Amino acid sequence: MSERAEASNSEETDGTVPDEISHLVGHSGHLLRRSYQIFISIFESSFSQMGVSPVEYMILGTLEALGTLDMSSVAGSAAIDNASCFRVVGRLEDRGLVETCRGDKDQRRRLVGLTARGRTIMPSLHKCAAMVEARMFERLTAQERGDFAASMKAFATRNNCLSRAPFRAPARTEKGDG
């Protein structure tokens, strides 16, 4: 086995990239994918006891902050398509974290809100999210953390229109507004 192959098979390497593939490893798309892999790894280890996915956390946090929302607003706030949102909300409802109902004025509208159980677990979820943030950036300087956050926000905001499921700011909804 070559020295390079042995290094790639070890659990940790020094991160040295061979010149022949540096253009590939440094490609922005590849770096975004690797960043997401790192985030998911950290998220899953921090949230393992809670059994909540990143999208579920986003939905629960949005409902906590804004109250009852229609399903389309929930989907937009999590930047997922309506069909995926329906499935995720269904899983959260099965676990007793959210409840859904039809709007009083428009029975076609499906409204989503946190249950008492959902509100109860939010402080623990926020604590887990803070741990994720800390672990993700612990190897960066304060300046690098700020630069990274600002760059990612600018990238996501300015390219929102290119997303298959763009972020849409949710409109607050009361049960009777349906």
Side-chain angles (χ1 to χ4, degrees):
M1 186 179 278
S2 75
E3 207 173 290
R4 214 178 268 168
E6 285 178 22
S8 68
N9 287 334
S10 70
E11 281 196 30
E12 282 195 38
T13 66
D14 65 1
T16 303
V17 177
D19 291 339
E20 299 87 356
I21 62 167
S22 63
H23 67 288
L24 297 170
V25 174
H27 188 273
S28 298
H30 176 71
L31 293 171
L32 284 169
R33 184 185 64 77
R34 286 189 57 223
S35 296
Y36 183 70
Q37 288 175 324
I38 292 164
F39 162 72
I40 289 298
S41 176
I42 293 169
F43 187 95
E44 287 176 351
S45 69
S46 298
F47 276 74
S48 63
Q49 299 290 326
M50 303 304 295
V52 173
S53 73
V55 171
E56 290 170 342
Y57 175 66
M58 180 65 184
I59 288 172
L60 293 169
T62 299
L63 294 172
E64 178 191 38
L66 299 179
T68 300
L69 297 172
D70 66 89
M71 191 70 79
S72 179
S73 291
V74 173
S77 72
I80 59 175
D81 62 84
N82 288 339
S84 296
C85 184
F86 187 79
R87 287 190 300 274
V88 172
V89 166
R91 288 193 305 266
L92 292 171
E93 190 171 29
D94 290 345
R95 295 190 338 245
L97 301 176
V98 301
E99 57 191 352
T100 63
C101 64
R102 300 277 181 199
D104 288 342
K105 294 179 183 172
D106 184 348
Q107 291 289 304
R108 296 170 299 178
R109 289 184 82 188
R110 195 111 173 115
L111 305 178
V112 184
L114 282 181
T115 62
R117 182 169 179 236
R119 284 188 291 280
T120 300
I121 71 161
M122 290 310 297
S124 296
L125 294 180
H126 292 316
K127 195 177 289 187
C128 288
M131 289 174 19
V132 169
E133 283 284 308
R135 283 193 59 211
M136 280 180 29
F137 298 114
E138 67 190 1
R139 290 176 175 83
L140 301 180
T141 66
Q143 179 69 46
E144 288 168 333
R145 284 191 298 271
D147 292 348
F148 181 83
S151 294
M152 290 302 290
K153 183 177 181 179
F155 177 83
T157 301
R158 293 178 189 157
N159 290 293
N160 190 49
C161 62
L162 302 176
S163 176
R164 292 181 183 173
F167 172 82
R168 295 183 318 273
R172 294 176 192 250
T173 304
E174 296 301 321
K175 183 178 178 188
D177 286 350

